[in-house]
């Protein structure tokens, strides 16, 4: 039987697209305040916005009729006809946001236009109007949203941690404050001020949000080609970060993430930037309104341009010029990304192959050696049976660890290419990758210390200080206690500086400024994992950190080690619970047992 859905159900379904989380409510409401011509917007939150979101603006306000209309679906003052969609001047245009929000939360609206004597107070819960009266209030609009998803328990249950929500919200307000420097923004969470950005210009906003270090590092950028303009600031490569979230790009004042523009920026920096690093940039791009389509995605996160190539070259040249003016010499990177029309491709930009990547040791014999029939068979058998020698986690059957202490059985036969240890054991011929083995041993020591809550830390004589932005400060503030359990003691210094006081001893004596920046990025990327109580060995972020330091501290492929060092390496490795894979799941060693060796030589004793 087909039935027509009622309005509340329709709105709840649609809310699923527009309103995913507290951050989306904040986004929609603040955008409405901007569209209403506000000069001051205040955002106050409780419990990451899950309990309360309150937005106060001094914009146009609404009269009584409009206030009631605003919460209905497809009611908007911003466009009137389909053609308007192709030249949108406002941030909103669908007339969906408020209708969606009131269907999934408890909402109150206080609003008054300057010319009206009295304002309006409406209270809505799950789409139903509970109260509607005239009231004496300030000009502008105040909207409070309580208990988001109170009537959609499944969604409420799956909301991310407060820290994650705050990270999103703070980041979004940061973007809007940069896109609209003529508006004052403030963000308060649990009565604590997170962002205070009084109105000014782009540089003053950068200064109030990112701090003076980053503001001082800003290099102006400006270029115009026909009706295309790019303005703003970029920074020298030493401020680059591992994560891409310091690329602030605004097209017609709308914060966007777009691969074409990201690629153009990176290409502009070219060799000035280390591989896989992203600069800090703040770019405002103006293009004709009808050349950008913002109506691609319900949350307007994606935009499409009709003349990508033109945009690409404008941005690339502008970045290059501005860096050169600042005294940096830029060399063209040979294998660099050239412009490709890729707007529909959501994947990250193609990675250029690093020349400095560790050399891959040639693993398989060249095919010419195994051309004859017998040889071919050998290779085939090998491919099939190599499975027996992989660590237990990588194959179906379980591998039994040798019962007896392996100590007496290890006889080092040699080390080839200063990389692979060959040893004879009771199990068979053992091949061990010295780097992977050492990395695994270090990693296991660290995890063991975390588990015993006896982490050895090292105080940094000269603590490394990193410039951070408000969203990062929020994250670190919330994770501080947890991070201490892993040996990282961080101290927040003012609003934009973070000091790394201690690191796990296993990381070595000093950490560089670059590594410190990477650590912050890694913590940020793993907010939810860190805040949840997980076993240390399940935490990918720890593996990331280990890979950073273990690679620097561990014996490397190519390092000369003595026979006794090789022996103790293998001994220590075999003492571990899971000795066969490194933290990243690559094999640390393989054992070629008698049966395997016999198969290679086609000596089948059993038959
Ligand atoms: N803070 C505000 N001040 C003044 N008017 C507002 C405010 N918030 C909403 N409105 C009015 O309510 C209408 C509906 O808002 P809503 O956010 O639901 O839709 P929209 O902004 O038009 O489109 P979108 O769904 O794309 O955001 C707006 O068009 C605007 O006229
Ligand atoms: Mg809106």
């Amino acid at each position: 039987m087909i039935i027509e859905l009622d309005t509340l159900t329709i709105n709840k379904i649609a809310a699923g697209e527009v309103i995913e989380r507290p951050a989306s409510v904040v986004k929609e409401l603040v955008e409405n305040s901007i569209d209403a011509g506000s000069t001051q917007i205040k955002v106050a939150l409780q419990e990451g916005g899950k309990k309360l979101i309150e937005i106060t603006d001094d914009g146009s306000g609404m009269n009584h009729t409009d206030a009631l209309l605003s919460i209905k679906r497809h009611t908007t003052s911003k466009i009137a006809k389909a053609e308007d969609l192709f030249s949108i001047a406002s941030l909103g245009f669908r007339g969906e946001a408020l209708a969606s929000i009131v269907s999934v939360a408890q909402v109150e609206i206080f609003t008054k236009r300057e010319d009206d004597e009295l304002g309006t107070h409406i209270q809505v819960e799950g789409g139903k109007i509970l109260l509607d009266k005239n009231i004496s209030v300030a000009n502008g609009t105040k909207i409070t949203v309580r208990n988001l998803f109170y009537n959609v328990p499944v969604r409420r249950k799956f909301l991310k941690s407060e820290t994650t929500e705050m990270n999103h919200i703070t980041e979004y307000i940061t973007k809007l404050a940069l896109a609209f420097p003529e508006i004052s923004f403030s963000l308060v969470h649990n009565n604590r001020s997170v962002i205070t950005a009084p109105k000014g210009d782009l540089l003053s906003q950068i200064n109030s949000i990112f701090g003076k270090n980053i503001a001082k590092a800003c290099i102006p950028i400006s270029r115009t080609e026909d009706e295309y303009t790019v303005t703003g600031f970029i920074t020298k490569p030493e401020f680059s970060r591992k994560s891409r979230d310091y690329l602030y790009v605004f097209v017609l004042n709308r914060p966007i993430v777009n691969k074409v523009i990201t690629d153009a920026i990176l290409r502009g920096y070219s060799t000035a930037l280390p591989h896989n690093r992203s600069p800090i940039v703040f770019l405002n791009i103006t293009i004709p309104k009808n050349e950008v389509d913002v109506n691609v995605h319900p949350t307007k996160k994606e935009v499409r341009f009709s003349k990508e190539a033109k945009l690409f070259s404008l941005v690339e040249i502008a970045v290059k010029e501005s860096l050169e003016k600042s005294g940096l010499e830029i060399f063209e990177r040979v294998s660099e990304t050239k412009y490709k029309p890729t707007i529909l491709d959501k994947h990250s930009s193609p990675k250029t192959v690093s020349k400095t990547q560790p050399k891959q040791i040639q693993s398989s014999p060249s095919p010419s050696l195994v051309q004859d029939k017998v040889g071919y068979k050998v290779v085939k058998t090998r491919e099939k049976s190599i499975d027996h020698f992989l660590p237990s986690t990588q194959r179906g059957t379980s591998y039994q660890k040798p019962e007896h202490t392996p100590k007496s059985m290890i006889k080092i036969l040699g080390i080839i290419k200063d990389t692979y240890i060959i040893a004879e054991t009771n199990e068979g011929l053992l091949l061990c990758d010295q780097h992977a083995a050492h990395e695994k041993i270090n990693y296991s020591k660290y995890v063991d210390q975390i588990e015993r809550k006896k982490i050895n830390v090292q105080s940094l004589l000269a603590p490394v200080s990193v410039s951070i932005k408000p969203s990062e400060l929020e994250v670190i503030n919330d994770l501080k206690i947890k991070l201490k359990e892993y040996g990282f003691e961080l101290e927040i210094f003012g609003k934009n500086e973070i000091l790394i006081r201690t690191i796990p001893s296993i990381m070595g004596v000093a950490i560089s400024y670059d590594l410190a920046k990477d650590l912050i990025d890694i913590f940020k990327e793993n907010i939810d994992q860190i805040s949840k109580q997980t076993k240390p060995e399940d935490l990918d972020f720890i593996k990331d950190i280990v890979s950073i330091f273990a690679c620097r501290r561990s014996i490397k492929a190519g390092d000369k080690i003595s026979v006794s060092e090789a022996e103790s390496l293998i001994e220590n490795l075999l003492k571990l619970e899971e000795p066969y894979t490194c933290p990243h799941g690559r094999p640390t060693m393989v054992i070629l047992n008698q049966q395997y060796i016999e198969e290679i030589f086609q000596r089948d004793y059993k038959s």
Side-chain angles (χ1 to χ4, degrees):
M1 186 179 65
I2 296 176
I3 55 157
E4 225 172 286
L5 295 172
D6 60 75
T7 318
L8 176 62
T9 313
I10 294 171
N11 286 350
K12 266 188 172 179
I13 294 170
E17 286 178 24
V18 183
I19 305 300
E20 297 166 320
R21 56 201 315 171
S24 17
V25 175
V26 173
K27 171 182 184 291
E28 294 298 337
L29 295 182
V30 175
E31 289 186 357
N32 281 347
S33 297
I34 294 173
D35 285 345
S38 309
T39 62
Q40 187 169 50
I41 300 172
K42 293 181 191 160
V43 182
L45 309 165
Q46 294 287 336
E47 295 176 14
K50 290 186 208 177
K51 189 170 168 204
L52 171 75
I53 297 168
E54 181 184 281
I55 316 273
T56 313
D57 70 44
D58 65 349
S60 64
M62 289 176 270
N63 66 22
H64 181 250
T65 321
D66 281 352
L68 284 173
L69 268 179
S70 72
I71 54 171
K72 292 210 169 131
R73 179 154 302 273
H74 308 309
T75 52
T76 178
S77 56
K78 300 170 192 175
I79 56 167
K81 49 192 186 306
E83 297 90 88
D84 296 347
L85 271 176
F86 300 101
S87 56
I88 293 166
S90 52
L91 294 167
F93 54 83
R94 306 154 306 184
E96 286 208 343
L98 281 182
S100 300
I101 296 168
V102 299
S103 72
V104 290
Q106 299 160 332
V107 180
E108 282 184 87
I109 303 177
F110 303 83
T111 183
K112 180 179 162 305
R113 297 188 312 173
E114 201 176 353
D115 295 343
D116 294 344
E117 189 101 339
L118 281 176
T120 305
H121 176 195
I122 303 175
Q123 198 182 338
V124 206
E125 213 175 286
K128 281 202 198 73
I129 299 179
L130 304 182
L131 179 126
D132 166 17
K133 64 171 192 187
N134 288 336
I135 188 177
S136 155
V137 279
N139 293 336
T141 305
K142 175 166 105 178
I143 300 188
T144 60
V145 176
R146 289 195 171 79
N147 305 320
L148 181 65
F149 299 134
Y150 80 101
N151 55 351
V152 200
V154 195
R155 301 210 67 165
R156 187 157 177 96
K157 201 171 146 206
F158 284 102
L159 284 179
K160 291 269 166 53
S161 68
E162 205 172 307
T163 314
T164 305
E165 282 314 317
M166 274 317 288
N167 182 33
H168 279 102
I169 294 170
T170 313
E171 198 48 29
Y172 202 72
I173 300 292
T174 300
K175 287 181 180 169
L176 289 177
L178 292 168
F180 297 91
E182 66 285 1
I183 302 176
S184 293
F185 284 90
S186 76
L187 171 64
V188 174
H189 182 220
N190 296 341
N191 303 320
R192 198 170 53 83
S193 161
V194 179
I195 292 181
T196 316
K199 61 177 146 230
D201 55 21
L202 179 57
L203 195 59
S204 72
Q205 295 290 43
I206 295 174
N207 189 48
S208 26
I209 300 171
F210 294 80
K212 60 176 186 320
N213 286 350
I214 291 181
K216 269 198 262 168
C218 281
I219 309 166
I221 174 170
S222 163
R223 185 173 173 85
T224 304
E225 276 172 30
D226 308 327
E227 290 168 283
Y228 282 53
T229 307
V230 55
T231 58
F233 296 95
I234 63 171
T235 52
K236 285 199 178 174
E238 51 266 38
F239 285 84
S240 66
R241 296 283 292 251
K242 178 174 173 287
S243 90
R244 288 254 159 107
D245 56 10
Y246 270 85
L247 292 175
Y248 291 94
V249 178
F250 308 97
V251 172
L252 297 171
N253 286 339
R254 202 182 278 278
I256 59 141
V257 176
N258 178 274
K259 190 175 176 306
V260 172
I261 298 178
T262 305
D263 284 349
I265 296 169
L266 295 179
R267 201 166 138 77
Y269 271 85
S270 191
T271 50
L273 209 62
H275 282 287
N276 299 324
R277 299 229 140 224
S278 262
I280 303 182
V281 304
F282 307 95
L283 298 186
N284 278 313
I285 297 171
T286 313
I287 64 172
K289 281 194 191 108
N290 58 1
E291 288 184 20
V292 52
D293 183 1
V294 286
N295 195 20
V296 183
H297 189 265
T299 62
K300 306 168 190 143
K301 263 183 227 150
E302 268 175 59
V303 294
R304 257 176 229 165
F305 302 106
S306 54
K307 295 182 183 156
E308 294 175 0
K310 187 163 177 171
L311 195 60
F312 186 92
S313 93
L314 173 82
V315 173
E316 180 199 348
I317 296 172
V319 169
K320 209 167 261 174
E321 271 178 356
S322 145
L323 281 174
E324 275 164 1
K325 266 190 215 148
S326 80
L328 266 185
E329 241 180 288
I330 312 291
F331 301 97
E332 192 88 353
R333 199 171 263 163
V334 189
S335 56
E336 194 65 56
T337 346
K338 282 266 190 304
Y339 166 72
K340 288 186 218 98
T342 44
I343 195 90
L344 288 175
D345 180 359
K346 283 188 214 125
H347 302 294
S348 58
S349 71
K351 293 196 175 60
T352 44
V353 180
S354 159
K355 280 182 204 129
T356 52
Q357 262 172 10
K359 263 185 271 162
Q360 292 289 320
I361 315 271
Q362 288 192 339
S363 49
S364 49
S366 79
S368 59
L369 294 177
V370 287
Q371 263 167 358
D372 65 285
K373 226 178 156 209
V374 179
Y376 177 75
K377 242 167 105 191
V378 169
V379 170
K380 275 304 219 197
T381 329
R382 214 179 112 176
E383 273 169 6
K384 208 171 110 250
S385 53
I386 192 84
D387 195 39
H388 294 287
F389 314 101
L390 284 180
S392 54
T393 48
Q394 300 206 345
R395 61 192 162 88
T397 56
S398 67
Y399 179 84
Q400 290 298 311
K401 251 189 90 187
E403 301 258 301
H404 26 251
T405 46
K407 189 173 169 31
S408 52
M409 326 292 173
I410 302 166
K411 186 172 163 203
I412 305 288
L413 302 177
I415 301 170
I416 43 173
K417 293 193 169 186
D418 287 330
T419 300
Y420 304 107
I421 304 167
I422 307 175
E424 188 187 346
T425 70
N426 270 6
E427 303 283 296
L429 191 66
L430 184 146
L431 277 178
C432 169
D433 175 330
Q434 63 184 39
H435 173 66
H438 199 208
E439 200 181 349
K440 176 66 183 226
I441 293 166
N442 279 342
Y443 174 72
S444 306
K445 262 191 217 158
Y446 178 51
V447 169
D448 184 54
Q449 289 174 4
I450 298 172
E451 274 170 355
R452 287 187 293 119
K453 299 206 182 311
K454 271 199 171 160
I455 191 123
N456 291 340
V457 297
Q458 177 141 26
S459 298
L460 299 179
L461 287 177
V464 185
S465 141
V466 179
S467 289
I468 50 165
K469 54 182 174 177
S471 57
E472 290 166 340
L473 188 135
E474 283 294 294
V475 170
I476 300 298
N477 227 344
D478 289 356
L479 300 181
K480 243 168 79 176
I481 297 172
K482 206 73 217 269
L483 288 172
K484 206 174 165 186
E485 292 172 21
Y486 298 115
F488 297 97
E489 207 173 313
L490 307 171
E491 190 182 322
I492 291 167
F493 206 66
K495 277 205 143 183
N496 296 102
E497 292 287 300
I498 192 151
L499 292 185
I500 301 190
R501 289 249 174 241
T502 70
I503 54 171
S505 314
I506 207 144
M507 286 182 74
V509 199
I511 62 166
S512 64
Y513 172 63
D514 274 343
L515 179 56
K517 284 190 295 185
D518 285 0
L519 282 176
I520 308 288
D521 286 339
I522 291 170
F523 295 149
K524 234 173 37 176
E525 281 161 18
N526 297 283
I527 303 173
D528 273 319
Q529 275 200 58
I530 301 172
S531 46
K532 273 189 241 141
Q533 284 284 350
T534 352
K535 286 208 272 168
E537 62 270 28
D538 293 341
L539 290 175
D540 286 339
F541 97 93
I542 291 211
K543 291 180 186 167
D544 273 343
I545 289 167
V546 168
S547 74
I548 290 174
F549 77 78
C551 285
R552 302 151 100 236
R553 290 255 298 163
S554 302
I555 298 168
K556 295 195 181 50
D559 284 351
K560 281 206 190 313
I561 58 170
S562 67
V563 167
S564 63
E565 278 169 329
E567 201 177 270
S568 76
L569 197 66
I570 291 175
E571 255 170 41
N572 287 329
L573 188 63
L574 285 170
K575 276 185 209 149
L576 302 179
E577 281 280 310
E578 262 281 336
Y580 295 96
T581 44
C582 82
H584 298 95
R586 287 189 302 271
T588 50
M589 62 180 169
V590 290
I591 297 176
L592 316 184
N593 64 13
Q594 196 178 349
Q595 183 202 346
Y596 172 71
I597 296 169
E598 280 160 5
E599 264 181 51
I600 293 180
F601 294 103
Q602 301 185 347
R603 276 175 174 267
D604 198 347
Y605 288 109
K606 276 174 216 120
S607 61

